[in-house]
Every structure is written in structure tokens, then in C-alpha cells.
Amino acid sequence: MASLDPDAPTDAALLPVLEELQAREPIFHRPELGTGAEDLERQMAPDFFEVGASGHRYSRSHVQEVLLERYAAGGEDPWGTSGFHCRQLGPDTYLLTYTLRQGERVTRRVTVWRRSEQGWQVVYHQGTPVT
């Protein structure tokens, strides 16, 4: 019988990329990468969008607005990550998957990253609750 939770090792040639991207996740929960509007502009590709756990699509501008409100409110943001896997999709584009734990909430995360002249930019993000 096939496993419902397959092991997904990252190709050894991609381990340096995996290390760089793992340090940026979970996206938008890393205050050391910046919490201002200019920081978000730099981190998000112009064509960025997100699909939330509800299945709704969220635009770049909506996500930026929500994040700026969250950052302004401050407070604790405890989380843990595990199970990172990286796959190259194109010359400068990578798919990163991992598990995020926020208290009792567990989600599988998918982020598409693109290396640009400005550095790493997130192109797409989705979180799916584990039930």
C-alpha cells in the first residue's frame, strides 16, 4: 500500500537553496526580514498571490495590508516548522514545501520562490490545514 505521507528528500544539489529558503520561512513570520511596507514590496514578486486555507485567493495588495496590520499589533507569534523539501521548477524558480505548527493548528505549506536581482521574492503561497 502506498504511503499517505511520502518522504520527499531534496536533491543534494539543491541543499544550499533549501538552506537559504528555509531561513525565510514561514514567510511573513520572520520580523528579522523586515515588517514595513518597503520590506514587503521587496520580498513579494509583483505577480504574487496567495490561496488561504479557505480556498480564497488573496491579492498581493490585500496580503500586504493584512500583514502591516498584524505587524503593527505586535504580540507573540509562536510557531515551529519541519519537513522542508525543495524542488527546482525553472532556472531561478523553486518550490518549497514544509509543515507549520502554530499551537494546535498544523498546516502543510507551499511557497514558490524566485531569485531576482533584488534577492529572493515569493511568487505564490498556500497553506492547507492537516485534518
Side-chain angles (χ1 to χ4, degrees):
M1 181 173 181
S3 172
L4 294 177
D5 197 10
D7 185 21
T10 296
D11 184 287
L14 294 178
L15 292 178
V17 173
L18 174 65
E19 187 176 313
E20 286 182 51
L21 296 179
Q22 190 171 339
R24 303 185 73 81
E25 295 281 358
I27 61 166
F28 313 132
H29 292 267
R30 296 278 192 173
E32 66 272 21
L33 298 176
T35 58
E38 292 173 1
D39 302 312
L40 293 175
E41 284 290 324
R42 185 178 57 257
Q43 293 178 56
M44 300 168 83
D47 55 346
F48 170 84
F49 72 97
E50 178 173 328
V51 174
S54 65
H56 290 107
R57 284 178 50 134
Y58 299 103
S59 69
R60 180 180 194 255
S61 60
H62 174 79
V63 171
Q64 288 176 340
E65 184 179 309
V66 169
L67 289 170
L68 291 172
E69 289 175 9
R70 180 194 309 160
Y71 297 152
E76 291 285 317
D77 186 20
W79 51 265
T81 55
S82 62
F84 282 91
H85 175 259
C86 183
R87 175 177 292 170
Q88 188 166 11
L89 300 178
D92 295 310
T93 307
Y94 300 86
L95 175 72
L96 188 73
T97 59
Y98 62 98
T99 300
L100 175 66
R101 286 180 174 74
Q102 296 170 292
E104 296 296 315
R105 186 174 190 239
V106 178
T107 53
R108 302 278 190 226
R109 299 291 173 124
V110 176
T111 310
V112 176
W113 288 95
R114 180 169 47 222
R115 191 188 320 247
S116 72
E117 291 179 14
Q118 296 80 26
W120 287 107
Q121 291 188 315
V122 61
V123 176
Y124 172 80
H125 182 69
Q126 181 171 345
T128 303
V130 175
T131 57

